Amino acid sequence: MYLSKLFAKTRKQVSKDEKSINAQFLERAGFISKEMAGVYNYLPLGFMMLEKIIKIIREEMNVIGGQEILMPTLTSIKSYKQTKRDKLDILFRTKLHSGSEYILNQSHEEVITPLVKQFVHSYKDLPVYIYQIQTKFRNEPRARSGLLRGREFLMKDLYSFHVDEKDLDEYYKKVQKVYKEIFDRIGIGKDTHLVYASGGSFSKFSHEFQTLCETGEDEIYLCNSCKIGVNKEIINEQKVCPECGNNKLVVKKAIEVGNIFKLKTKFSDAFELTYKDKDGKDKPVVMGCYGIGPSRIMGTIVEVFHDKAGMILPESVAPYKNHIVILGSRNQEAGIRKIIDKLGGEDNCLIDDREISAGQKFADADLMGMPYRVVISDKTLKKNSVEIKKRSEDKTELVKINKL
Ligand SMILES: [Zn+2]
């Protein structure tokens, strides 16, 4: 992609009310544009990054047998009344012309459970794992953290359906493993920890995945030996590490990037989702649910990986691997074209061909955060070379074009 053709431009300033690091850098770099607090447009580079995150999540969901569907955003309040969640204050409510009330979904248990009831009747139909990647809505009182706390945001939600708790427990462990794999591939694995959280009314614990970050809104208590955490909300009932019993837990700021729950029969009871076992007896289906927020992960990556000059994006999710800075070197088009092709062509290269100063080009390359900066100038071309610098490092290296 040529920067001269990209419709979204970098900006020097963003509005003063944008306090979070992730929104400041992503907006200045032309990745996103604010619609209102907690609601953003994803521009070409931002959308590419989001899609790369989603692709990794989707691949890993398919590894554990997930079948992808797409559920509606609008759901009748009647379903929420059935699960007694119609009074949640974060629900966005709306009405049809007829006056009947609808919800913009903040989660999809009220949709998936009746949906699965249409197709699951016997133990032979179980287990089944269904997920979607969809827009969710939450009427947040405060939305000042950029992509970290959206009123409208993307969510991958997986739901699992089992004959009994033993089967749920086994799958729940599998999801924990695959979540770790997802965070590793996205580049935040080293900083992301499994954290014990309250299980609500239906289970002793649920689990969160929390990424350590000074700007995080959450506080966790981390075990230094097994790197497992306890959420602040349950630290009074769980004062030691649940894995090794260590009682010296260290408090850390973190961002919640995923959560997994054993719903057991809470929703299957509400919607009478049952199956016939081998003896023809009716039994409630046992459920689990597993969330990851791709848009929140995008914000988290920027919170974790940046310096004063801008973002430092991991290669697996950066919109482009290379940021090519062309300086002077007119009449060298064929030579430049050859270099770009060697570096994987326009699919792998963001190419700064704009008629602006070298200083501005370097500043934008730092701001936008692609993993490698490649400078092509008269000086480098004379030596049949390009100058390469990793965004995460200071040193530059002159590399012969035929060695690229
Ligand atoms: Zn421990």
Side-chain angles (χ1 to χ4, degrees):
M1 167 62 77
Y2 286 87
L3 270 178
S4 62
K5 297 203 177 90
L6 189 67
F7 104 88
K9 314 290 182 214
T10 56
R11 308 173 207 205
K12 288 245 163 17
Q13 296 285 331
V14 292
S15 73
K16 280 202 187 91
D17 65 328
E18 201 67 277
K19 300 267 190 275
S20 70
I21 290 166
N22 72 88
Q24 281 186 27
F25 279 139
L26 287 166
E27 280 194 70
R28 278 182 51 209
F31 280 48
I32 61 172
S33 171
K34 190 177 192 171
E35 188 66 23
M36 54 179 261
V39 181
Y40 291 88
N41 296 289
Y42 290 82
L43 305 177
L45 295 178
F47 190 54
M48 284 175 79
M49 181 171 169
L50 190 64
E51 289 276 287
K52 288 197 169 189
I53 295 168
I54 288 171
K55 183 169 180 280
I56 290 172
I57 296 172
R58 180 176 279 135
E59 283 170 5
E60 296 298 332
M61 286 301 104
N62 294 343
V63 165
I64 51 171
Q67 298 180 43
E68 188 171 6
I69 65 166
L70 183 61
M71 288 181 265
T73 302
L74 275 177
T75 295
S76 170
I77 188 105
K78 284 181 201 155
S79 302
Y80 279 78
K81 284 189 170 146
Q82 224 161 318
T83 58
K84 301 194 171 61
R85 296 211 293 181
D86 57 311
K87 297 282 188 284
L88 284 179
D89 53 4
I90 51 147
L91 289 182
F92 270 108
R93 291 150 203 278
T94 186
K95 278 185 178 150
L96 299 191
H97 287 299
S98 65
S100 49
E101 248 193 287
Y102 277 72
I103 299 292
L104 295 175
N105 286 309
Q106 48 89 39
S107 176
H108 276 77
E109 285 86 354
E110 278 80 358
V111 184
I112 189 86
T113 315
L115 179 66
V116 164
K117 194 177 168 178
Q118 293 178 36
F119 302 104
V120 167
H121 308 292
S122 143
Y123 69 95
K124 289 178 192 156
D125 302 323
L126 295 167
V128 64
Y129 320 116
I130 304 163
Y131 75 98
Q132 66 168 351
I133 294 157
Q134 222 242 28
T135 302
K136 299 261 192 278
F137 295 86
R138 272 180 208 186
N139 201 344
E140 295 280 358
R142 288 175 305 280
R144 288 190 299 238
S145 306
L147 299 187
L148 300 186
R149 187 167 291 279
R151 293 195 163 105
E152 179 180 332
F153 55 96
L154 267 187
M155 192 83 179
K156 182 286 297 172
D157 40 337
L158 164 72
Y159 304 88
S160 68
F161 301 84
H162 309 266
V163 288
D164 56 24
E165 282 192 28
K166 185 172 163 281
D167 198 53
L168 166 64
D169 290 349
E170 279 165 21
Y171 192 70
Y172 191 84
K173 284 266 179 238
K174 234 187 221 183
V175 177
Q176 278 186 9
K177 264 197 200 146
V178 98
Y179 267 39
K180 187 86 185 85
E181 184 65 26
I182 289 169
F183 298 126
D184 281 345
R185 287 183 63 189
I186 284 171
I188 55 173
K190 191 169 67 63
D191 304 295
T192 303
H193 302 279
L194 182 73
V195 170
Y196 283 67
S198 159
S201 52
F202 32 90
S203 191
K204 187 172 181 211
F205 294 118
S206 66
H207 291 91
E208 296 168 347
F209 290 82
Q210 295 264 7
T211 308
L212 298 187
C213 182
E214 274 311 305
T215 52
E217 286 183 349
D218 284 14
E219 267 183 6
I220 62 164
Y221 289 76
L222 195 66
C223 170
N224 265 342
S225 70
C226 54
K227 303 292 174 200
I228 279 184
V230 177
N231 188 303
K232 189 186 176 185
E233 286 157 13
I234 63 162
I235 192 67
N236 287 329
E237 19 169 336
Q238 182 67 43
K239 289 190 169 70
V240 299
C241 170
E243 295 290 316
C244 72
N246 176 5
N247 60 2
K248 291 192 187 75
L249 304 179
V250 187
V251 63
K252 299 268 187 194
K253 292 261 187 216
I255 301 166
E256 185 190 335
V257 287
N259 55 39
I260 58 178
F261 280 93
K262 290 177 187 172
L263 299 171
K264 298 193 177 169
T265 61
K266 179 182 160 75
F267 292 93
S268 34
D269 287 345
F271 291 103
E272 295 173 349
L273 170 63
T274 59
Y275 70 94
K276 286 214 186 300
D277 73 4
K278 279 181 185 155
D279 306 319
K281 236 172 89 187
D282 285 322
K283 288 197 170 151
V285 172
V286 178
M287 289 172 61
C289 80
Y290 319 85
I292 284 190
S295 46
R296 181 182 280 194
I297 284 180
M298 184 166 156
T300 303
I301 289 167
V302 180
E303 295 287 334
V304 175
F305 302 119
H306 69 270
D307 59 16
K308 270 187 196 152
M311 307 188 281
I312 305 170
L313 301 177
E315 207 172 310
S316 60
V317 295
Y320 294 95
K321 183 175 176 183
N322 307 304
H323 189 124
I324 297 183
V325 176
I326 301 173
L327 300 178
S329 53
R330 279 182 196 88
N331 314 318
Q332 302 271 14
E333 267 175 39
I336 292 171
R337 185 71 243 174
K338 204 175 101 188
I339 295 168
I340 292 168
D341 287 343
K342 279 204 153 209
L343 292 170
E346 284 179 49
D347 286 347
N348 284 297
C349 300
L350 187 63
I351 304 149
D352 197 347
D353 58 333
R354 297 172 298 172
E355 306 267 336
I356 56 170
S357 73
Q360 275 175 288
K361 288 190 179 185
F362 288 136
D364 276 355
D366 279 349
L367 174 64
M368 296 163 108
M370 304 310 144
Y372 295 91
R373 188 186 75 190
V374 181
V375 178
I376 307 173
S377 68
D378 293 327
K379 220 170 77 187
T380 67
L381 287 175
K382 251 181 223 155
K383 294 178 186 163
N384 287 318
S385 299
V386 296
E387 183 204 88
I388 298 184
K389 180 187 164 296
K390 263 190 168 176
R391 176 65 183 87
S392 56
E393 294 173 7
D394 288 331
K395 70 167 199 289
T396 58
E397 193 186 345
L398 216 55
V399 178
K400 290 276 181 218
I401 293 166
N402 59 15
K403 294 253 170 70
L404 278 176

